[in-house]
Amino acid sequence: AAPVMLSRFRGALVGSVLGDCIGGEFEGAVDVPLDRVLQHLSALDDDTRGEGILQYSDDTAMMRCVAESLLTRMPFDEHDMARRFAKEFNFAPGRGYGSGVIQVLRKLASPHLKDVFQPAQVQFGGRGSFGNGGAMRAAPFALAFRSRADVCKYSRLGAMLTHSCSLGYNGAALQALAVHLSLQGALALPKEFINKLISEMEEMEKDETAQHDAKALNLSEFPYCSRLHRVKELMDRNSVSIEEVISELGNGIAALQSVPTAIFCVLHCLEPRAGLPEKFRGLERTIAYSLALGGDTDTIACMAGAIAGAHYGIDSIPQSWQKSCEGVEEADDLARRLYDLYCLPQSEE
Ligand code: F2R
Ligand code: MG
Ligand code: MG
């Protein structure tokens, strides 16, 4: 039976934290043999290792700030969200933040700052960051808003606090939309799921700024659409190697090289896959597969974990995995509170 909505909400945020904590082991690794991934995952079943042994990183730290801000300041308060990012960074700066975003987070801490979007706009010589930091924390936007238009609008704004390049904030919107559609059960029809994402991104990438940024970075005119078409082509193939996924979609720290990849991981693992244990259910397969790609594994697994968790629900996540990861209980609590908020009438704009 399809999971109920509350289970999907909890699955989304807990899946996101799990991907971050479990994926952290391989972040930056070039070649990750599948047996090393399986070894890492089977160690999670070892009861003697203690609870919360795998720590979360910036992905979860910032996701929590987004969720808390949405819960207290609906629909969106940029000053509140910026303040939470800065406070969290000041409290725990060693969570593995990107080297560029650190400068933004320091500036956001200033009580004299009037325009909270300004520090992001001066990053990288004024081009802004195209990193995946906006996308890695985007899941709560899908849980807070019912309409697709609101999910897009606010996930982009939330990302712009640190990522002013359209590749950065459009990547965040793509991730939030994927979680939104997954919550609605759209992964039951995978082809329709990907087609919907492509048509949403076509609209977003028509935008003048998006066209300008794509050109300046020497990318195709519609960079996310073109990656999502590649996802579709890979879905149609009987067998796909890890090397092909990396060369076609990427596994890097840029949003363009990781958000479509995370979406592919979820789609590819909807069915059992050779090399992955038969006892693994969908979310376990998705996280295992994300890790085997190497590169930005915590973030790809975090994003794939959120989309997959929204599809399979909380009951599909092994207790041993949940116990091994720091911050699962807090994520579960945030998901429950966002669900309560989601159930209240929302104003139509
Ligand atoms: N940063 C990491 N992992 C590597 C180091 C971990 C840590 N220092 C340790 O070893 O303990 N992971 C986390 O960062 C990613 C999200 O990054 P975010 O928030 O997007 O940061 P930033 O700095 O804005 O962008 C990341 C890098 O992308 C390149 N870049 C971005 N925009 C650029 C542009 N316009 N021109 C040129 N380069 C650009 C830069 O190299 C940035 O530093 C997640 O993986 C998270 O887990
Ligand atoms: Mg991280
Ligand atoms: Mg990462």
Side-chain angles (χ1 to χ4, degrees):
V4 296
M5 196 54 117
L6 175 59
S7 170
R8 290 179 185 273
F9 268 57
R10 296 173 62 202
L13 293 200
V14 171
S16 161
V17 174
L18 247 54
D20 178 17
C21 292
I22 299 173
E25 172 80 6
F26 302 110
E27 192 185 20
V30 176
D31 191 15
V32 184
L34 196 55
D35 41 339
R36 269 196 67 207
V37 171
L38 299 180
Q39 219 172 30
H40 179 51
L41 294 174
S42 70
L44 305 179
D45 295 331
D46 179 355
D47 289 340
T48 61
R49 294 196 341 156
E51 294 199 1
I53 189 89
L54 299 176
Q55 294 190 340
Y56 65 75
S57 74
D58 56 335
D59 305 47
T60 300
M62 296 192 89
M63 181 278 278
R64 285 165 57 150
C65 296
V66 170
E68 292 283 4
S69 181
L70 292 173
L71 280 163
T72 46
R73 301 291 182 110
M74 273 288 270
F76 180 72
D77 178 338
E78 63 269 30
H79 294 277
D80 180 74
M81 202 172 281
R83 206 164 30 240
R84 287 175 193 273
F85 289 157
K87 196 170 162 200
E88 169 59 35
F89 174 68
N90 186 46
F91 175 69
R95 292 267 187 200
Y97 287 83
S99 53
V101 79
I102 287 173
Q103 299 163 43
V104 180
L105 297 172
R106 289 201 181 112
K107 291 181 190 170
L108 290 178
S110 164
H112 307 296
L113 186 70
K114 293 256 170 4
D115 176 5
V116 287
F117 293 105
Q118 190 271 343
Q121 288 162 4
V122 298
Q123 288 291 94
F124 299 100
R127 296 184 303 276
S129 172
F130 52 60
N132 55 20
M136 72 189 184
R137 61 179 192 246
F141 290 101
L143 277 58
F145 300 101
R146 285 180 192 205
S147 89
R148 217 180 285 179
D150 281 348
V151 171
C152 283
K153 175 180 168 184
Y154 293 115
S155 58
R156 289 171 103 207
L157 279 172
M160 283 175 197
L161 288 168
T162 47
H163 293 68
S164 74
C165 174
S166 61
L167 273 302
Y169 60 74
N170 282 345
L174 174 58
Q175 167 64 12
L177 274 172
V179 177
H180 167 80
L181 291 177
S182 180
L183 286 172
Q184 314 298 320
L187 276 166
L189 297 169
K191 279 278 159 60
E192 285 187 21
F193 174 86
I194 195 80
N195 286 338
K196 277 181 193 157
L197 289 178
I198 291 172
S199 71
E200 289 289 337
M201 294 315 286
E202 266 166 6
E203 282 306 307
M204 250 179 259
E205 296 196 309
K206 271 184 199 161
D207 173 85
E208 206 182 306
T209 312
Q211 295 275 315
H212 170 273
D213 288 349
K215 204 168 179 186
L217 290 163
N218 244 340
L219 298 166
S220 65
E221 238 183 309
F222 289 78
Y224 280 104
C225 292
S226 106
R227 294 274 158 146
L228 292 171
H229 279 292
R230 285 188 213 168
V231 168
K232 217 168 137 180
E233 282 160 25
L234 293 175
M235 280 166 76
D236 285 336
R237 300 248 304 269
N238 286 333
S239 86
V240 187
S241 71
I242 294 282
E243 292 73 21
E244 284 171 302
V245 177
I246 298 170
S247 82
E248 290 292 310
L249 303 176
N251 63 357
I253 204 166
L256 185 64
Q257 288 176 8
S258 50
V259 184
T261 311
I263 292 168
F264 175 74
C265 290
V266 179
L267 291 163
H268 185 70
C269 294
L270 287 170
E271 289 164 26
R273 290 290 166 189
L276 295 176
E278 276 179 27
K279 67 170 185 180
F280 273 13
R281 288 170 291 171
L283 184 126
E284 294 151 277
R285 286 195 295 271
T286 306
I287 290 191
Y289 190 76
S290 309
L291 269 50
L293 296 180
D296 196 357
T297 49
D298 68 329
T299 304
I300 294 173
C302 161
M303 297 188 291
I307 305 165
H311 177 61
Y312 299 108
I314 189 76
D315 297 327
S316 73
I317 307 180
Q319 280 299 325
S320 60
W321 288 29
Q322 295 190 45
K323 284 206 181 100
S324 302
C325 298
E326 181 194 17
V328 163
E329 276 178 27
E330 290 81 353
D332 197 14
D333 179 58
L334 289 169
R336 286 172 186 277
R337 288 163 59 202
L338 282 164
Y339 177 74
D340 290 341
L341 192 70
Y342 185 87
C343 291
L344 297 173
Q346 294 192 2
S347 62
E348 302 289 331
E349 278 190 67

